[in-house]
């Protein structure tokens, strides 16, 4: 049975339903929220495991943030993958051999469209349909979910056996609360509103933030702006995209296979970055105040180059904004006319009550493997990780685990209950051995090898329980 969106619609949340009882009972079907890279993997893998699936996507096409025509997409004209091709693709759907190591965002989007086409996923996706509420069905909860979707002003509720949330975590800007920011007379935008170098041309630009996006935009400003400052709170390791002529993540993966202790890996990695990039302080950049892998990796071959050419001026942390200037912590005053806040994103699940994902006071969800709700065995989140590699392979294996778990639950409830006890009782795990800095940027930081090993362990347990 397919949800028929042409009948049974109600207008507004309180309207009465036409044609039958409130909402559709979709029986054992699974609802997937979002048709980005994670949602697509979920639709495909759940279908392959025999589940009926309805996927709701509020935009008009697949691809999530890689579809830069979508208003909420944080992708800018020059965005290329930061993780290289082999680690960025789904394990069962390789990117074309003749594509470069780091494809452009339009290629990543084309790849996701091809994936949807190849596996026939579109017919399971309802585009232009936003999920506005997900509540456990029944009192006490039955394990089923009432999912309310909205198209325009019209809402509709359908009942599902399980829900996979794949709504992404790079679309809701995290905005800093600098003193004086609201009274500042220059232009201020968040990086999510940065699309094209034309926005920078001939202007005096301050880019705030040392993440990959901040570094990418600073590099573009170095080439387009009349003057560019790049403000970071600390010194970072700027890892080049290539080491020894190979994509750096591929070199790291080779080193990871040696299973060296973290300290030795850090020593080797730092030595190689220093050898490739040199002494950062010579360029006026602050010395990294932490070891490699203790912050999310910054992969950028051009930042140091442009600093060396005098087109990009590294500055320290911003202290406050005055009416026409920005005051830095070292009391220096600069006068940009455009400030770009590359200050990151926060996860948002406004359609779910916070307790369903065990969100703490800061809004940080606490899920087993960043994926399984401990409160509800039929609620999952896909793609809520910040790996030191590609997200797509992780989203793939997460959704295989969701599907196998749901299969076990249907086939053998008592074995499933035993398995579930181990998940629900397990404390939060860290999937990195490094002492990662405590910030929202690292809430979901995972070493992809450790994380995939933990997922493999879950899959092995599920296999054994079958
Ligand atoms: C600049 C940049 C560079 C990146 N580079 C890399 C890289 O090199 N390698 C890598 O692996 N990852 C990279 N990423 C991470 C990126 O998030 C993942 O590649 C991938 O896009 C995650 O897919 P997703 O499906 O989890 O989220 P998204 O792509 O954000 O998709 C989520 C989807 O859910 C939909 N949605 C949200 N809420 C609702 C709702 N209530 N109802 C219906 N639909 C909803 C959205 O419209 C969207 O289509 C990068 C991210 C950015 C911002």
């Amino acid at each position: 049975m397919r949800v028929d969106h042409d009948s049974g619609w109600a207008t507004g949340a309180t309207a009465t339903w036409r044609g039958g009882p409130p909402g559709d009972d979709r029986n054992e079907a699974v609802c997937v929220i979002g048709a980005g890279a994670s949602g697509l993997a979920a639709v495909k893998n759940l279908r392959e495991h025999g589940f009926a699936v309805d996927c709701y996507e509020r935009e008009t096409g697949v691809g999530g943030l890689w579809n830069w025509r979508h208003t909420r997409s944080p992708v800018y004209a020059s965005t290329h993958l930061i993780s290289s091709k082999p680690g960025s693709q789904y394990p069962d759907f390789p990117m074309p051999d003749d594509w470069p190591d780091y494809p452009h965002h339009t290629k990543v989007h084309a790849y996701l469209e091809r994936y949807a086409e190849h596996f026939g996923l579109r017919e399971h996706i309802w585009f232009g349909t936003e999920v506005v509420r997900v509540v456990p069905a029944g009192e006490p909860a039955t394990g089923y979910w009432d999912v309310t979707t909205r198209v325009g002003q019209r809402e509709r509720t359908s009942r599902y056996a399980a829900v996979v949330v794949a709504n992404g975590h790079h679309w809701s800007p995290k905005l800093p609360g600098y003193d004086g920011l609201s009274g500042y007379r220059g232009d201020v935008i968040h990086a999510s509103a940065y699309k094209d170098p034309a926005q920078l041309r001939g202007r005096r630009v301050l880019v705030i933030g040392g993440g990959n996006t901040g570094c990418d935009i600073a590099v573009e400003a170095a080439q387009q702006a009349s003057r560019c400052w790049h403000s970071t709170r600390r010194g970072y390791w700027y890892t080049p995209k290539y080491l020894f002529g190979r994509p750096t993540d591929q070199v790291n993966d080779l080193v990871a296979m040696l299973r060296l202790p973290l300290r030795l890996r850090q020593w080797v990695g730092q030595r190689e970055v220093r050898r490739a990039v040199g002494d950062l302080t010579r360029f006026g950049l602050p010395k990294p105040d932490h070891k490699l892998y203790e912050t999310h990796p910054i992969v950028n071959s051009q930042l140091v180059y442009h600093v060396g050419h005098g087109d990009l001026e590294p500055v320290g942390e911003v202290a406050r904004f005055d009416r026409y200037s920005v005051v830095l912590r070292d009391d220096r005053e600069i006068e940009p006319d455009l400030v770009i806040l590359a200050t990151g994103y926060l996860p948002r699940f406004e359609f779910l009550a916070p307790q369903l994902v065990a969100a703490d006071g800061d809004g940080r969800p606490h899920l087993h493997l960043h994926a399984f709700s401990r409160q509800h065995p039929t609620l999952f989140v896909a793609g809520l990780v910040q790996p030191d590699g590609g997200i797509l392979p992780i989203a793939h294996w997460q959704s295989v685990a969701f599907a196998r778990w749901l299969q076990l639950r249907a086939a053998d409830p008592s074995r499933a209950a035993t398995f579930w006890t181990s998940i629900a009782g397990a404390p939060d795990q860290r999937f990195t051995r490094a002492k990662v800095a405590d910030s929202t940027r690292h809430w979901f930081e995972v070493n992809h090898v450790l994380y995939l090993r933990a997922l493999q362990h879950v899959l092995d347990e599920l296999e054994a329980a079958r």
Side-chain angles (χ1 to χ4, degrees):
M1 185 181 98
R2 300 272 312 261
V3 177
D4 177 6
H5 280 199
D6 296 328
S7 66
W9 281 102
T11 306
T14 55
T16 49
W17 291 87
R18 287 181 279 117
D24 294 289
D25 190 344
R26 297 286 289 124
N27 301 312
E28 297 313 306
V30 180
C31 169
V32 174
I33 303 171
S38 304
L40 291 175
V43 177
K44 182 224 157 228
N45 287 313
L46 286 159
R47 293 281 311 148
E48 280 188 357
H49 284 77
F51 292 94
V53 179
D54 291 335
C55 174
Y56 296 111
E57 168 55 58
R58 67 182 167 195
E59 304 286 357
T60 51
V62 300
L65 65 77
W66 295 107
N67 192 336
W68 81 316
R69 284 182 199 86
H70 293 165
T71 40
R72 293 181 190 83
S73 169
V75 157
Y76 31 92
S78 64
T79 305
H80 287 74
L81 278 181
I82 298 161
S83 52
S84 74
K85 207 171 58 163
S88 304
Q89 62 201 6
Y90 297 113
D92 53 359
F93 195 72
M95 291 187 186
D97 285 345
D98 60 355
W99 279 14
D101 293 324
Y102 295 104
H104 186 244
H105 69 80
T106 47
K107 282 198 155 64
V108 182
H109 181 227
Y111 168 76
L112 294 172
E113 288 200 306
R114 240 184 263 180
Y115 178 82
E117 213 60 58
H118 180 79
F119 292 106
L121 307 182
R122 278 178 211 278
E123 60 182 289
H124 309 288
I125 305 170
W126 300 97
F127 292 105
T129 307
E130 182 168 18
V131 171
V132 291
R133 248 181 334 279
V134 176
V135 292
E139 190 71 59
T142 53
Y144 286 77
W145 295 90
D146 285 335
V147 176
T148 303
T149 53
R150 183 185 295 154
V151 178
Q153 292 305 305
R154 297 184 303 174
E155 293 193 353
R156 179 189 185 112
T157 302
S158 305
R159 184 158 293 180
Y160 290 94
V163 173
V164 177
V165 177
N167 65 336
H169 57 106
H170 285 116
W171 55 269
S172 177
K174 178 186 166 198
L175 296 168
Y178 293 114
D179 277 351
L181 182 58
S182 58
Y184 178 64
R185 303 307 291 265
D187 290 339
V188 182
I189 59 169
H190 184 266
S192 55
Y194 173 71
K195 293 287 155 202
D196 193 275
Q199 289 167 266
L200 309 167
R201 213 153 286 153
R203 303 190 74 182
R204 296 160 60 84
V205 179
L206 167 65
V207 181
I208 301 178
N212 282 299
T213 295
C215 291
D216 276 359
I217 298 175
V219 162
E220 296 205 353
Q223 297 164 82
Q224 305 292 338
S226 62
R227 185 150 185 200
C228 174
W229 300 271
H230 184 209
S231 161
T232 59
R233 271 193 291 208
R234 56 197 314 193
Y236 288 101
W237 295 94
Y238 298 103
T239 308
K241 277 193 142 170
Y242 288 93
L243 281 175
F244 312 111
R246 305 282 303 174
T248 303
D249 56 353
Q250 295 177 26
V251 175
N252 285 342
D253 279 356
L254 284 175
V255 175
M257 280 164 69
L258 303 174
R259 296 202 177 204
L260 300 174
L262 172 69
R263 276 173 182 240
L264 192 53
R265 275 198 303 122
Q266 284 174 318
W267 183 80
V268 172
Q270 290 178 188
R271 197 163 153 269
E272 291 317 324
V273 173
R274 266 198 216 104
R275 201 203 289 248
V277 183
D279 173 10
L280 293 174
T281 59
R282 219 197 120 254
F283 293 84
L285 284 156
K287 193 172 170 204
D289 60 355
H290 56 283
K291 293 197 181 118
L292 199 63
Y293 312 130
E294 289 180 353
T295 56
H296 185 68
I298 297 167
V299 188
N300 192 308
S301 301
Q302 292 171 289
L303 186 121
V304 178
Y305 172 92
H306 284 291
V307 174
H309 284 65
D311 303 329
L312 181 54
E313 204 178 318
V315 295
E317 197 176 353
V318 167
R320 65 170 198 278
F321 282 70
D322 281 345
R323 211 168 159 75
Y324 296 104
S325 64
V326 179
V327 182
L328 305 171
R329 285 245 177 260
D330 60 7
D331 287 336
R332 231 182 106 188
E333 211 167 319
I334 57 177
E335 294 182 354
D337 48 50
L338 171 65
V339 178
I340 302 184
L341 304 170
T343 43
Y345 298 87
L346 287 172
R348 264 175 66 181
F349 304 96
E350 60 262 272
F351 47 80
L352 276 177
Q355 63 271 23
L356 294 175
V357 287
D360 62 22
D362 296 326
R364 175 184 184 164
H366 292 271
L367 302 162
H368 182 61
L369 285 165
H370 297 302
F372 291 84
S373 159
R374 291 190 179 86
Q375 286 70 24
H376 291 270
T378 49
L379 178 66
F380 315 100
V381 181
L384 189 61
V385 281
Q386 183 81 325
D388 57 349
I391 286 191
L392 276 61
I394 288 180
H396 168 88
W397 289 114
Q398 283 178 330
S399 55
V400 171
F402 303 156
R404 297 220 176 128
W405 155 243
L406 288 173
Q407 275 184 334
L408 175 70
R409 199 164 174 270
D412 192 339
S414 76
R415 271 173 186 264
T418 315
F419 176 84
W420 186 254
T421 313
S422 67
I423 283 193
D428 280 358
Q429 281 166 275
R430 292 178 74 247
F431 300 97
T432 166
R433 298 211 171 98
K435 272 189 266 153
V436 170
D438 183 21
S439 73
T440 55
R441 185 175 170 205
H442 296 126
W443 276 0
F444 312 115
E445 187 71 21
V446 302
N447 169 297
H448 69 288
V449 176
L450 294 182
Y451 186 83
L452 285 169
R453 252 185 233 150
L455 260 183
Q456 181 64 58
H457 181 67
V458 170
L459 288 167
D460 291 346
E461 281 188 347
L462 284 167
E463 195 57 40
R466 288 213 294 188

